[in-house]
Amino acid sequence: MLNTVCFHSQFILIRSDYITQILTNLSFRNTIVKKVLDQEGFGRQKRGYRSIDEIYIKMTDPLFSKQWYLINTGQADGTPGLDLNVAEAWGLGYTGRGITIAIMDDGIDYLHPDLASNYNAEASFDFSSNDPYPYPRYTNDWFNSHGTRCAGEVSAAANNNICGVGVAYNSKVAGIRMLDQPFMTDIIEASSISHMPQVIDIYSASWGPTDDGKTVDGPRELTLQAMADGVNKGRGGKGSIYVWASGDGGSYDDCNCDGYASSMWTISINSAINDGRTALYDESCSSTLASTFSNGRKRNPEAGVATTDLYGNCTLRHSGTSAAAPEAAGVFALALEANPNLTWRDMQHLSVLTSKRNQLHDEVHQWRRNGVGLEFNHLFGYGVLDAGGMVKMAKEWKTVPERFHCVAGSLQDVHKIQSGGKLILTISTDSCQGKDNFVRYLEHVQAVVTVNGSRRGDLNINMTSPMGTKSILLSCRPRDDDAKVGFDKWPFMTTHTWGEDPRGTWVLEVGFQGDEPQRGALKEWTLMLHGTQSAPYIDQIVRDYQSKLAMSKKEELEEELDEAVERSLKSLLSKN
């Protein structure tokens, strides 16, 4: 019990069982004890703190308790609390209702009892067989189970005593079958990506060029146009949302060599395992925006991703960044339900601002801060998606300002590259200041590079922004022996300079790594800046003053004030 003692109008809190001893031992010269009060204890809780023991979600689905990526209490040797924080989003009433996610894959078992009630037949199509029934083609080894497993992660129904629960369990799922034919064509990809863009909100793709560590490939002309049309015209002009798995090539590959994952128009998602480390198959690159989860690294049979499987079955063995992309699509569906007016760019901004470092860690790539204080990782992007944080911010989100594009500069001369040294080039830019396409606050940055070498896999390319943020545009790929093609006008992309001021000097470093002597030549470096002229977060409502939004908004206000003062001083000087 606490009591209050008044000593010359100064209040001191002391325990009641000490009062007698204090009164006996202390000499109170000219001091009068005016009042002794019993103090009753009451609770105070850290805001934003989530105790795992206090989370209680009642689900009858038998695999729900094994879906550690939804609520991680330490199952399968995982780290408690390392999950998508869907419990908070569900608690706020968001379950994906009214949102349609298309799984572009090898088909969906739409007869599955855990998917049938959420299946959107109208928005589904089979581009492999050219009919409206995207059911997977039967094989003895269940090879075509991929799409069905991804669909269950997003939209498996809740409380039906079947398998598990989808991240957005009241969302609708559409099947776009387009992977199951001997070879891919540009028209099949383009048709899939542009299928019913006014009905489908989110397209989830867990595929791409071969993850063999030596392929450099991306979307062709028709598919590029379909993507551009999607982000500009889809969802009534708000833009289709494309979610892409970053790739499973591991340390032998680099997802900036995948033109789908590295596109500005897609949200590239990497994965972490259930103890916070990177999976052995994860690719790293500067275009990755955020992460979700795949399987555990330990050989626990329940450490995989629990979801639906072919012919009414369930599985605990889904894995890879294939599993990560649909989880992200589910989180985005929750955010879209909270605010259907979100644009494709709003979703990227929300991903940057609400993703958390949590307990993600990697032995090689450490967490760093960019020039405006945003924390990022070369493997995990801006962190693991936080469904609760995203829907809360989405509810009050105001659409970000118009986007502009500035060609900041271009070097077209031939520059030789030798082993044992680095080619260092610079471009100084005002980012088109004074022109209609001025870019002040960065979103995406592209370095369009033409370069070749005696061994492409030993090339390493880094780029540093005027605010000092270093992006690894290309890391070594030990399996890539190419000596002829190189990179031809390849658009390497980074998200690591998000929010920065692009004005100043950009530095490109190109060199060879490895023991064997190599030689090469860089023929072009064109720097392309994409972002806004006005501060994107100044008008956003801040609820958490420790958040990345609060930090970014403070930075913007200070910069806007500094620039206003500078303009005023220039005006006064010119008048004088």
Side-chain angles (χ1 to χ4, degrees):
M1 187 70 69
L2 293 174
N3 288 269
T4 303
V5 180
C6 179
F7 292 147
H8 293 305
S9 301
Q10 293 183 354
F11 288 89
I12 302 173
L13 293 178
I14 55 179
R15 283 175 49 182
S16 58
D17 55 344
Y18 290 158
I19 289 178
T20 304
Q21 185 177 353
I22 290 171
L23 293 175
T24 302
N25 296 340
L26 292 180
S27 173
F28 292 90
R29 297 173 183 173
N30 303 318
T31 300
I32 299 172
V33 178
K34 294 182 178 180
K35 187 184 288 186
V36 176
L37 300 174
D38 284 340
Q39 294 285 291
E40 295 183 4
F42 46 83
R44 289 289 183 267
Q45 190 173 18
K46 299 176 186 176
R47 289 189 178 135
Y49 175 75
R50 185 184 68 143
S51 172
I52 294 298
D53 297 331
E54 294 174 3
I55 296 174
Y56 177 70
I57 302 290
K58 185 178 181 181
M59 294 284 182
T60 63
D61 308 74
L63 295 188
F64 177 67
S65 63
K66 303 181 190 305
Q67 291 181 287
W68 54 267
Y69 56 95
L70 299 180
I71 300 175
N72 193 335
T73 59
Q75 314 97 303
D77 304 313
T79 299
L82 185 61
D83 55 46
L84 296 172
N85 192 23
V86 295
E88 184 175 16
W90 293 347
L92 293 169
Y94 300 109
T95 58
R97 193 177 301 278
I99 307 302
T100 294
I101 302 104
I103 304 297
M104 299 188 296
D105 215 288
D106 56 14
I108 289 179
D109 179 1
Y110 48 78
L111 301 177
H112 195 295
D114 212 15
L115 296 174
S117 61
N118 284 334
Y119 179 64
N120 188 333
E122 176 198 6
S124 300
F125 198 80
D126 187 334
F127 288 100
S128 293
S129 298
N130 198 29
D131 62 58
Y133 308 106
Y135 199 84
R137 179 177 59 87
Y138 176 80
T139 63
N140 289 330
D141 59 358
W142 288 23
F143 177 72
N144 292 317
S145 62
H146 198 252
T148 301
R149 293 179 174 189
C150 292
E153 290 180 271
V154 176
S155 301
N159 288 314
N160 61 355
N161 296 298
I162 302 169
C163 295
V165 175
V167 172
Y169 57 79
N170 278 324
S171 64
K172 294 296 182 182
V173 63
I176 297 180
R177 182 169 176 260
M178 43 82 71
L179 283 185
D180 189 26
Q181 62 270 332
F183 50 83
M184 182 57 68
T185 66
D186 193 14
I187 196 166
I188 289 178
E189 283 190 358
S191 299
S192 302
I193 283 170
S194 60
H195 181 63
M196 301 194 75
Q198 307 311 325
V199 176
I200 295 169
D201 300 290
I202 302 167
Y203 297 78
S204 179
S206 293
W207 49 268
T210 306
D211 291 325
D212 57 6
K214 57 186 178 182
T215 298
V216 177
D217 198 4
R220 307 296 199 272
E221 184 178 356
L222 294 176
T223 303
L224 282 172
Q225 187 59 55
M227 280 186 172
D229 289 343
V231 297
N232 286 304
K233 302 173 184 177
R235 296 176 53 239
K238 295 184 288 291
S240 301
I241 296 166
Y242 297 111
V243 186
W244 228 274
S246 61
D248 290 348
S251 60
Y252 295 103
D253 212 343
D254 187 302
C255 41
N256 240 344
C257 295
D258 175 344
Y260 301 87
S262 65
S263 170
M264 299 180 297
W265 300 325
T266 68
I267 300 178
S268 180
I269 299 294
N270 208 345
S271 73
I273 59 176
N274 65 347
D275 64 2
R277 290 178 294 167
T278 177
L280 294 176
Y281 44 73
D282 281 342
E283 295 180 34
S284 61
C285 63
S286 57
S287 59
T288 296
L289 200 65
S291 297
T292 55
F293 297 101
S294 52
N295 56 299
R297 191 177 290 183
K298 296 180 180 178
R299 295 187 177 182
N300 189 312
E302 297 185 356
V305 170
T307 182
T308 51
D309 209 349
L310 286 175
Y311 317 126
N313 288 285
C314 314
T315 183
L316 292 170
R317 300 178 64 84
H318 194 35
S319 64
T321 55
S322 290
E327 291 171 20
V331 172
F332 298 151
L334 301 177
L336 275 184
E337 182 188 5
N339 184 350
N341 292 319
L342 295 174
T343 67
W344 69 279
R345 288 174 52 234
D346 289 332
M347 196 65 79
Q348 296 206 20
H349 279 272
L350 286 168
S351 297
V352 170
L353 292 176
T354 62
S355 294
K356 302 290 193 299
R357 177 175 178 174
N358 202 311
Q359 298 172 75
L360 303 183
H361 59 95
D362 180 72
E363 291 81 4
V364 177
H365 298 291
Q366 303 301 309
W367 287 87
R368 296 183 288 142
R369 292 189 183 275
N370 71 8
V372 293
L374 293 172
E375 196 171 33
F376 69 93
N377 184 284
H378 187 63
L379 267 162
F380 301 121
Y382 286 93
V384 63
L385 291 177
D386 182 322
M390 184 173 278
V391 299
K392 286 191 295 185
M393 192 173 289
K395 282 194 301 181
E396 300 177 317
W397 186 258
K398 298 178 181 179
T399 295
V400 292
E402 184 181 357
R403 187 172 189 251
F404 294 92
H405 316 276
C406 170
V407 178
S410 184
L411 302 178
Q412 304 285 343
D413 298 329
V414 176
H415 296 85
K416 292 184 178 180
I417 313 164
Q418 300 288 346
S419 292
K422 286 186 178 180
L423 171 66
I424 299 178
L425 302 173
T426 61
I427 289 177
S428 294
T429 179
D430 61 1
S431 65
C432 302
Q433 189 166 4
K435 300 177 183 177
D436 291 341
N437 59 330
F438 171 49
V439 174
R440 170 61 182 82
Y441 295 90
L442 284 174
E443 291 176 356
H444 309 90
V445 176
Q446 290 176 301
V448 181
V449 173
T450 296
V451 62
N452 56 34
S454 50
R455 190 174 190 280
R456 186 173 61 183
D458 286 350
L459 277 169
N460 182 262
I461 305 176
N462 299 319
M463 185 169 68
T464 304
S465 73
M467 297 189 78
T469 301
K470 183 177 180 179
S471 298
I472 304 172
L473 299 184
L474 176 66
S475 51
C476 291
R477 302 200 305 164
R479 296 174 177 171
D480 185 357
D481 293 323
D482 172 80
K484 296 180 180 179
V485 179
F487 295 94
D488 184 19
K489 294 185 181 296
W490 188 259
F492 294 98
M493 195 268 280
T494 180
T495 61
H496 295 167
T497 55
W498 200 275
E500 291 189 4
D501 183 348
R503 292 173 294 184
T505 300
W506 292 77
V507 180
L508 190 77
E509 299 177 49
V510 186
F512 288 105
Q513 290 186 359
D515 298 329
E516 296 296 323
Q518 306 292 346
R519 65 186 186 280
L522 184 140
K523 300 175 183 178
E524 177 189 358
W525 168 34
T526 299
L527 181 63
M528 302 182 70
L529 310 173
H530 308 270
T532 62
Q533 292 178 1
S534 53
Y537 307 137
I538 276 185
D539 294 329
Q540 306 295 345
I541 297 171
V542 174
R543 299 293 182 189
D544 178 2
Y545 288 92
Q546 303 299 317
S547 65
K548 287 193 276 188
L549 174 60
M551 178 190 69
S552 298
K553 184 171 180 175
K554 178 177 179 291
E555 184 88 17
E556 288 176 355
L557 287 166
E558 290 174 350
E559 289 175 357
E560 293 283 301
L561 180 60
D562 289 343
E563 290 180 11
V565 169
E566 186 177 345
R567 286 194 298 269
S568 297
L569 287 172
K570 285 182 179 179
S571 177
L572 286 171
L573 289 171
S574 64
K575 288 178 181 178
N576 292 332

